[in-house]
């Protein structure tokens, strides 16, 4: 089983405040859909701050076609600790995971497997896509 811990702002759309309108939310979600299509064993855990304003069923809807892969949202708290909590709760399973986030400072010294994305580019950056593709192939 593989978990992809998912932030929204700076990953699925730009995190630059005021730089885009609401219609552009999740503008890079199709990129993630395309990357994951051949990997049905990858499930999504939302650790984005959106989890504070949206219930799990709403997060599932926001993920569109990937909603069926929604495994839940991380508990409240600092992002690194929230991810660790989910991993600890599932330690009985053999889980490979990757954290997608644009805030590397939130994971300093955590020892977590984090792909730090540029907040203005997120998954639109070719190097981010290549890194995710490599993780998907390496952990298959």
């Amino acid at each position: 089983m593989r978990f992809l811990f998912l932030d929204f702002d700076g990953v699925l759309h730009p995190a630059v405040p005021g730089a885009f309108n609401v219609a552009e939310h999740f503008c890079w979600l199709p990129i993630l859909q395309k990357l994951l299509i051949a990997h049905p064993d990858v499930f999504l855990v939302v650790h984005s701050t959106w989890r504070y304003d949206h219930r799990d069923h709403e997060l599932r809807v926001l993920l569109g076609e990937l909603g069926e892969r929604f495994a839940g949202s991380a508990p409240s708290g600092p992002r690194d600790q929230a991810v660790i909590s989910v991993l600890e709760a599932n330690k009985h399973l053999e889980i490979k995971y990757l954290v997608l986030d644009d805030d590397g400072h939130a994971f300093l010294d955590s020892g977590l497997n984090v792909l730090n994305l540029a907040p203005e580019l997120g998954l639109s950056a070719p190097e981010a896509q290549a890194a995710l593709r490599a993780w998907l192939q390496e952990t298959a």
Side-chain angles (χ1 to χ4, degrees), residues 27-56:
C27 60
W28 301 322
L29 182 59
I31 295 170
L32 184 61
Q33 291 169 338
K34 184 177 178 182
L35 289 167
L36 294 183
I37 198 162
H39 303 278
D41 64 317
V42 176
F43 295 91
L44 305 175
V45 178
V46 174
H47 73 277
S48 171
T49 56
W50 285 56
R51 72 189 190 278
Y52 297 129
D53 297 324
H54 297 82
R55 296 178 186 265
D56 280 355

Side-chain angles (χ1 to χ4, degrees), residues 101-115:
D101 206 297
D102 67 316
D103 184 4
H105 296 313
F107 297 94
L108 289 177
D109 302 320
S110 69
L112 293 170
N113 187 22
V114 178
L115 177 55

